[in-house]
Amino acid sequence: LGIMLIATGKARLARLVQYLPLPVIGGYLAYIGLFCGFSGLRLTIGDDVDGLSDLVKVTKGRAPLLLIPGIAGTAVLFMVSKRLSHFKFALPLSMIVMPTLFYIVVYASGHNIDDARGAGWVAEPTPLPPFYEVFELFDFKE
């Protein structure tokens, strides 16, 4: 999709987009929003949220507690984007300041990253695959 968008822009064919039906574009954007929302919930609560039936998971166990910083962060980013829209670096700076403040609070409270990870506030590290594995995704014989 990204390559097609770049090619459409380079070929100055953006006017052809007007022929796509609005419900198709709306549905596509809605799906992207839903996918991003479910992914954000999964990252926030540390449990799979694959569909509407899984939303009940956000009310169980420690999930509501783990949601508080995510909701607060979303509210802060929304307010910054609305109230400081004239300052072009407000949103990127907010995205830098928020995790920095998180780690300052963790260390100032006498904890370390392993404590935060054990409490569910920081995700477990994922091992990096070897760089050459990307080539296994393609079949160069054809």
Side-chain angles (χ1 to χ4, degrees):
L1 179 65
I3 292 172
M4 290 304 297
L5 288 173
I6 292 170
T8 301
K10 290 289 185 187
R12 301 196 184 276
L13 298 173
R15 64 186 176 333
L16 295 178
V17 173
Q18 67 185 340
Y19 295 113
L20 288 173
L22 193 57
V24 171
I25 295 172
Y28 179 71
L29 293 176
Y31 175 76
I32 291 173
L34 187 67
F35 176 78
C36 290
F38 286 158
S39 297
L41 283 174
R42 187 218 175 279
L43 289 171
T44 304
I45 68 171
D47 198 359
D48 288 335
V49 181
D50 296 325
L52 295 174
S53 61
D54 288 339
L55 287 179
V56 74
K57 292 179 181 180
V58 302
T59 63
K60 296 184 178 180
R62 298 192 59 224
L65 179 65
L66 294 173
L67 279 174
I68 292 171
I71 293 169
T74 300
V76 167
L77 291 175
F78 181 77
M79 288 189 306
V80 165
S81 70
K82 291 297 179 191
R83 295 187 181 191
L84 299 175
S85 61
H86 60 281
F87 180 53
K88 66 180 178 180
F89 295 112
L91 202 54
L93 285 175
S94 298
M95 290 182 201
I96 293 169
V97 168
M98 288 170 53
T100 303
L101 284 176
F102 170 78
Y103 286 106
I104 288 172
V105 168
V106 167
Y107 289 114
S109 64
H111 299 291
N112 60 29
I113 193 71
D114 291 325
D115 296 336
R117 188 173 285 126
W121 293 105
V122 178
E124 292 292 328
T126 55
L128 292 175
F131 73 93
Y132 55 82
E133 274 190 17
V134 72
F135 298 111
E136 295 173 4
L137 299 173
F138 302 99
D139 185 10
F140 293 107
K141 294 176 184 170
E142 292 182 15

